[in-house]
Amino acid sequence: MFFIDTLEVKGLGNRSYVAGGQRTAVAVDPPRDIDRVIAAAARRGVRISQVVETHLHNDYVTGGLELARVTGAAYLVPAGARVSFERVPVDDGDTVDIGSGLTLRALATPGHTPHHTSYVLEEAGAAVAVFTGGSLLIGAVGRPDLVEPRLTERLAREQHASARRLAAELPDETPVLPTHGFGSFCSSVQAEGDAATIGKEKTANQALLQDAETFVRHLLAGLDDVPAYYAHMAPVNAAGPPPVDLTPPAVADAEDIAVRLAAGEWVVDLRNRVAFAAGHVAGSFNFEADGKLAAYLAWLIPWGKPVTLLAESPDQLAAAQRELARVGIDRPAAAATGEPASWTRAGESPASFPRAGFAELASAGGEIVVLDVRRDAERADGYVQGSAHIPIHTLHQRIDEVPAGQVWVHCASGMRAAIGASLLDAAGRDVVAVDDTFDAAARAGLPVIGG
């Protein structure tokens, strides 16, 4: 008998896995916070004997090296990945015995990266699952443009061939267990569903339905913006990430927060967007702890800029610190918990701005600016006529391009609009955060072009 436990990393849209038998197990693409992996193995009463990477990750800092060190496990990394630490290099066809009649077999599946490797879990020689990393995803494939622009088209073709290889060599009933694709920006498209088999993918995945030329053309045409922090992840992983430090950061009082803001540091309020709009420290930015905190904060913040976190509770702070460590924002400069009244100096009042829906926008008068902060690909599917467009990940560098007037900021659902409104509010602009779904715009009578 065997088991496969899935570890969700929802903020990044990823999954890691622990799989094994009665006494030993393998960890696949582990996150930076390895205590979760160790706890999963402890619950099963097994020892982690191998840690494997499908590729050098572009979207998060791996916990693989530290997990192998702590547990004494062998650390398996694709042989083609250039790294600065000792590891067991894995080539196509290599097999590893993980006990209880279970074997892990490596399949070279380049495309997401040149060295990408999938691993087939076999019991008594029969495939029982395949860990596909960033190769064959659920209804999609991993994007091929994260390594080097000159390699993108070649990797797209290899991605097609790799998906075909998996489909040809594995039984239809084999579960497909990818690392990316559950909201991850590493996925070529955001597909529906959270479970698949090889057989299901044969009926739904364009890599298995289209010829190579058609697939590559559509794949390259649909590639979206790449989060800026991705540029730092693979080099960190290749060098060997240091152990994560999740001890609480220094406590900031109101004076310290003011000093940090005056110095140009980022002060990030983790509370939900409703609470932030109602009252916040002037100059702070709103990145909701329950949103895609790590992805968007790491995308927007200048790399290495000190960040102070403001949270409503110690639990919220600890969860955010853990999530940010996964993308290399290791140690907040300081932190505070509570509410805005305790974060502002005596004699000062919290700042605020209004929230509204598209219905209120449709009836708004005066000189207003409608600012769409969605990505280019989203806007191409439809937009409010006359709206300005600055994607959220570029807004902090382009504040001066926002036209004069009261700015009504919208996205697709409200989370990014809240980020954008907080950036503009901190810059002294008069803002309204449109906390509504974009499909409500047309229903409200606003002229929507396209879609």
Side-chain angles (χ1 to χ4, degrees):
M1 293 295 293
F2 68 93
F3 71 86
I4 301 175
D5 289 339
T6 301
L7 303 182
E8 295 274 2
V9 189
K10 291 184 177 179
L12 296 177
N14 286 334
R15 289 179 176 179
S16 297
Y17 303 93
V18 177
Q22 295 180 332
R23 295 183 178 84
T24 54
V26 59
V28 181
D29 289 343
R32 183 91 180 277
D33 46 331
I34 63 171
D35 57 331
R36 296 184 64 206
V37 184
I38 293 171
R43 286 192 294 270
R44 290 287 186 175
V46 297
R47 175 178 62 85
I48 295 175
S49 54
Q50 287 89 15
V51 178
V52 303
E53 304 282 9
T54 56
H55 61 295
L56 288 185
H57 306 285
N58 289 285
D59 64 327
Y60 69 94
V61 180
T62 181
L65 182 63
E66 181 65 6
L67 180 61
R69 186 190 68 79
V70 168
T71 62
Y75 189 28
L76 282 61
V77 178
R82 301 182 65 179
V83 297
S84 302
F85 48 82
E86 292 295 322
R87 89 291 193 207
V88 178
V90 178
D91 287 301
D92 184 44
D94 285 353
T95 59
V96 179
D97 181 3
I98 57 175
S100 301
L102 297 171
T103 301
L104 210 60
R105 177 165 59 90
L107 284 180
T109 49
H112 188 47
T113 66
H115 59 266
H116 191 283
T117 301
S118 298
Y119 299 90
V120 183
L121 182 65
E122 298 177 334
E123 185 179 39
V128 294
V130 58
F131 302 105
T132 56
S135 183
L136 185 67
L137 310 184
I138 298 176
V141 296
R143 56 194 298 171
D145 60 328
L146 303 180
V147 178
E148 159 61 50
R150 292 172 297 176
L151 299 179
T152 297
E153 182 173 349
R154 190 195 89 189
L155 290 175
R157 295 182 183 280
E158 290 181 346
Q159 194 68 296
H160 183 266
S162 291
R164 294 296 179 102
R165 181 186 185 190
L166 289 166
E169 295 190 15
L170 296 173
D172 283 356
E173 63 271 18
T174 308
V176 174
L177 303 177
T179 300
H180 306 311
F182 309 95
S184 168
F185 289 112
C186 274
S187 179
S188 57
V189 297
Q190 297 306 316
E192 299 294 328
D194 62 1
T197 62
I198 290 292
K200 181 179 178 181
E201 289 306 297
K202 286 180 178 179
T203 68
N205 198 306
Q206 296 305 309
L208 303 178
L209 295 172
Q210 296 175 338
D211 63 81
E213 293 303 322
T214 303
F215 170 78
V216 169
R217 183 172 67 253
H218 288 170
L219 178 61
L220 297 183
L223 292 174
D224 209 340
D225 300 307
V226 178
Y229 76 92
Y230 277 25
H232 304 279
M233 297 297 96
V236 168
N237 288 329
V244 68
D245 180 1
L246 296 178
T247 56
V251 177
D253 60 18
E255 184 64 31
D256 188 39
I257 292 169
V259 169
R260 292 182 179 280
L261 283 168
E265 297 182 10
W266 279 39
V267 174
V268 172
D269 192 324
L270 301 166
R271 296 173 303 140
N272 69 67
R273 56 186 180 264
V274 177
F276 182 88
H280 55 269
V281 176
S284 63
F285 303 141
N286 183 212
F287 289 80
E288 292 181 301
D290 292 335
K292 294 177 73 69
L293 168 65
Y296 279 104
L297 180 55
W299 196 341
L300 270 66
I301 192 170
W303 197 251
K305 174 80 75 173
V307 59
T308 294
L309 300 178
L310 307 179
E312 63 185 9
S313 69
D315 286 346
Q316 185 181 65
L317 174 61
Q321 185 178 350
R322 176 181 290 268
E323 186 170 352
L324 293 176
R326 293 172 181 152
V327 293
I329 301 177
D330 281 4
R331 295 296 302 158
T337 58
E339 56 187 19
S342 64
W343 302 334
T344 52
R345 293 180 293 191
E348 297 178 348
S349 300
S352 64
F353 54 75
R355 297 166 45 253
F358 280 106
E360 290 85 355
L361 174 57
S363 60
E367 292 187 15
I368 67 169
V369 176
V370 180
L371 178 62
D372 182 350
V373 297
R374 296 174 301 158
R375 298 187 301 277
D376 291 344
E378 295 173 282
R379 186 173 171 85
D381 289 335
Y383 60 93
V384 176
Q385 184 177 11
S387 60
H389 178 228
I390 303 177
I392 189 63
H393 58 276
T394 66
L395 180 59
H396 65 299
Q397 299 171 325
R398 301 171 60 187
I399 295 289
D400 292 344
E401 297 179 30
V402 180
Q406 186 182 59
V407 187
W408 290 60
V409 189
H410 84 82
C411 60
S413 63
M415 182 194 74
R416 288 172 293 172
I419 297 174
S422 73
L423 295 174
L424 289 162
D425 175 70
R429 297 297 300 268
D430 181 11
V431 298
V432 178
V434 179
D435 194 356
D436 205 349
T437 57
F438 184 70
D439 57 9
R443 294 199 302 270
L446 288 163
V448 175
I449 307 300

